[in-house]
Amino acid sequence: MTSAPVLPAIRAAMPRLNPSERAVAEVVLTRSEWAIEATTAEIAAEASVSTATVVRAAQRLGFRGFPHLKVLLARDLGSAKTETSEGGSPLTVVRAFFADIADSASDMVGLLSEEQVSRAVDLIAEARTILVAGTGVSSPVASDIAMRLASQGLSTVAPGDHLDQLIRARLLQPGDVCVVVSGTGATAPTIQVAQAAVAGGAAVVALTSFTGTQLTKLAEVELVTPQGGRAGFRQELDSIIRIPQLILGNALVAAVAARDPEAAANVRARVLEVVGGELDPLG
């Protein structure tokens, strides 16, 4: 179900649902705007059913899962407008965008814990091989993180091709790490990579914007950096920016380097030799 309007389709399917599944459908029908932002657990609580029932109800309605239902529901109900998109000159829009990011910066680290960050840094610093994976707009972030980790002397790759990611993830072993970047934490190709890494015994470190997702359930470490207090699932779909994950990735690299400053300085000196050799002598 990808083209039919979600709410009419749910109403039409109500007779074939069992009572528990019907309770889930009624929540989505009566609280559609709220349902877009709600987690599976929140929907379950509202409908007085289990989270498994929410997933099953979404699938019985023709969706791949509850996140898929939310994406299409957001599509049907329209995108929320943001302050940066309403008129004004291009410079005004740019300034408003920067201001919005600056205002929300402190919220980006609100869900990070000392235990989770320390565990992520230890896993990355001690990994034999690191695979950094991301799909769509998360792919450039994954590439940036991989390049910076490689510049710290760590064996890191970030293939852009999904099949390449899957193969490399499945070949990972205990002692290896798969860093997965996904704003929603529900993108199917990204989930497949995380599942392949887990199957091989590697640790998954998730950089995402939401808790309680399929990705965070697979991850040994979840690092959640939301796009500020005003952002939600719909805004994530609208803006599809990965600034929090990009900043967090760079911060993790800095934390890895801080574990052994002398070794980091030696690696940096060699990296600068390479970078210096690539600069235009007339520039």
Side-chain angles (χ1 to χ4, degrees):
M1 181 184 297
T2 57
S3 58
V6 172
L7 297 181
I10 291 177
R11 294 189 188 98
M14 289 286 277
R16 71 170 186 264
L17 301 179
N18 65 37
S20 295
E21 294 165 347
R22 193 174 300 120
V24 174
E26 288 172 351
V27 169
V28 175
L29 289 172
T30 58
R31 302 193 62 188
S32 303
E33 292 283 350
W34 174 79
I36 293 173
E37 303 294 346
T39 65
T40 304
E42 289 170 337
I43 293 290
E46 184 71 13
S48 298
V49 299
S50 67
T51 55
T53 299
V54 175
V55 175
R56 185 171 63 250
Q59 294 171 339
R60 284 285 303 278
L61 289 167
F63 304 94
R64 292 193 297 271
F66 186 60
H68 185 213
L69 186 157
K70 293 203 298 180
V71 169
L72 297 187
L73 186 58
R75 174 202 67 185
D76 291 351
L77 297 183
S79 298
K81 293 182 178 180
T82 63
E83 295 178 7
T84 60
S85 64
E86 296 182 353
S89 69
L91 179 57
T92 299
V93 173
V94 169
R95 283 176 172 167
F97 187 90
F98 271 84
D100 189 53
I101 298 299
D103 289 342
S104 64
S106 61
D107 294 324
M108 294 181 191
V109 296
L111 296 180
L112 296 177
S113 71
E114 179 71 34
E115 179 183 1
Q116 291 281 298
V117 173
S118 296
R119 180 59 177 153
V121 170
D122 288 344
L123 284 171
I124 292 170
E126 298 167 9
R128 296 181 308 175
T129 301
I130 303 169
L131 170 66
V132 189
T135 301
V137 293
S138 295
S139 182
V141 178
S143 296
D144 181 85
I145 294 172
M147 183 183 71
R148 296 183 186 281
L149 287 173
S151 71
Q152 293 299 321
L154 300 175
S155 177
T156 312
V157 293
D161 180 74
H162 174 57
L163 182 58
D164 194 0
Q165 290 181 14
L166 272 178
I167 293 172
R168 290 176 183 271
R170 191 59 186 88
L171 293 176
L172 294 177
Q173 302 176 22
D176 298 329
V177 171
C178 182
V179 178
V180 181
V181 184
S182 174
T184 63
T187 307
T190 305
I191 298 301
Q192 292 168 6
V193 171
Q195 290 171 333
V198 170
V204 172
V205 176
L207 275 60
T208 184
S209 296
F210 298 96
T211 61
T213 65
Q214 190 172 356
L215 175 60
T216 58
K217 292 174 183 177
L218 289 166
E220 180 169 333
V221 178
E222 58 177 89
L223 300 176
V224 181
T225 51
Q227 181 60 60
R230 287 170 288 177
F233 191 82
R234 172 178 283 175
Q235 284 78 6
E236 170 66 25
L237 296 175
D238 290 344
S239 61
I240 55 173
I241 58 175
R242 292 291 174 268
I243 292 174
Q245 286 77 48
L246 184 61
I247 296 173
L248 177 59
N250 281 265
L252 288 175
V253 174
V256 168
R259 292 175 92 243
D260 190 341
E262 184 176 351
N266 290 333
V267 171
R268 179 175 174 80
R270 283 178 282 165
V271 169
L272 289 178
E273 286 180 9
V274 175
V275 174
E278 293 299 312
L279 295 178
D280 184 346
L282 301 179

